[in-house]
Amino acid sequence: MKQVVCHKDDLGPGQMTGAQLGPIRVVVIRAKDGSLHALAAKCLHQGGPLDQGRLYDHTLTTDDVGRYAMDADREIIKCPWHGYEYDIRTGATVFDETRCLQTFATREEGDQITVELEPPGAAAASA
């Protein structure tokens, strides 16, 4: 199932929007580099609404105590309830990359941004 989320001009770099994709709430994000990403909008911790969260640049600790460096390869969405953080490209939590949100194919088609929800097992059946 494919669904139109918004007009491409309605989602600029560093912005996000929520959408209902069948039975699943998703958050669609345009990264600062213009790439599109879609994640399940339900936090793994206690189900917080990630489409109401905030986007952040990821910071790394350095060898100097109290100093941080920007990680240009990662953008983070932070849950508004308890602060769980997820990489927008992979859906992985920052603290444990084995814990991941479901991700969805998203793309620009003409003037629209679409997200596709594959039925369970569809990817395995087509491989």
Side-chain angles (χ1 to χ4, degrees):
M1 172 175 76
K2 184 178 3 178
Q3 181 172 317
V4 173
V5 174
C6 64
H7 190 275
K8 71 177 187 174
D9 294 336
D10 293 339
L11 195 62
Q15 293 182 326
M16 64 182 176
T17 189
Q20 193 68 36
L21 187 60
I24 301 172
R25 184 82 182 154
V26 297
V27 58
V28 179
I29 303 163
R30 188 181 297 273
K32 289 181 180 179
D33 67 4
S35 60
L36 291 167
H37 308 278
L39 310 165
K42 186 175 179 181
C43 181
L44 297 174
H45 178 231
Q46 290 187 342
L50 292 177
D51 54 330
Q52 296 175 25
R54 294 195 53 200
L55 295 173
Y56 291 92
D57 291 325
H58 187 244
T59 55
L60 301 169
T61 57
T62 66
D63 291 336
D64 294 332
V65 175
R67 292 195 181 259
Y68 298 88
M70 298 305 295
D71 181 356
D73 295 330
R74 291 178 96 181
E75 289 179 65
I76 303 301
I77 186 167
K78 189 172 190 172
C79 180
W81 285 6
H82 302 109
Y84 269 49
E85 297 174 321
Y86 300 89
D87 186 317
I88 66 168
R89 287 171 169 69
T90 65
T93 58
V94 172
F95 65 90
D96 179 356
E97 293 188 3
T98 64
R99 299 192 66 204
C100 297
L101 295 167
Q102 185 174 2
T103 59
F104 302 93
T106 184
R107 62 187 57 86
E108 283 186 23
E109 294 183 358
D111 288 341
Q112 301 173 326
I113 294 176
T114 63
V115 176
E116 189 161 352
L117 174 63
E118 281 190 1
S126 64

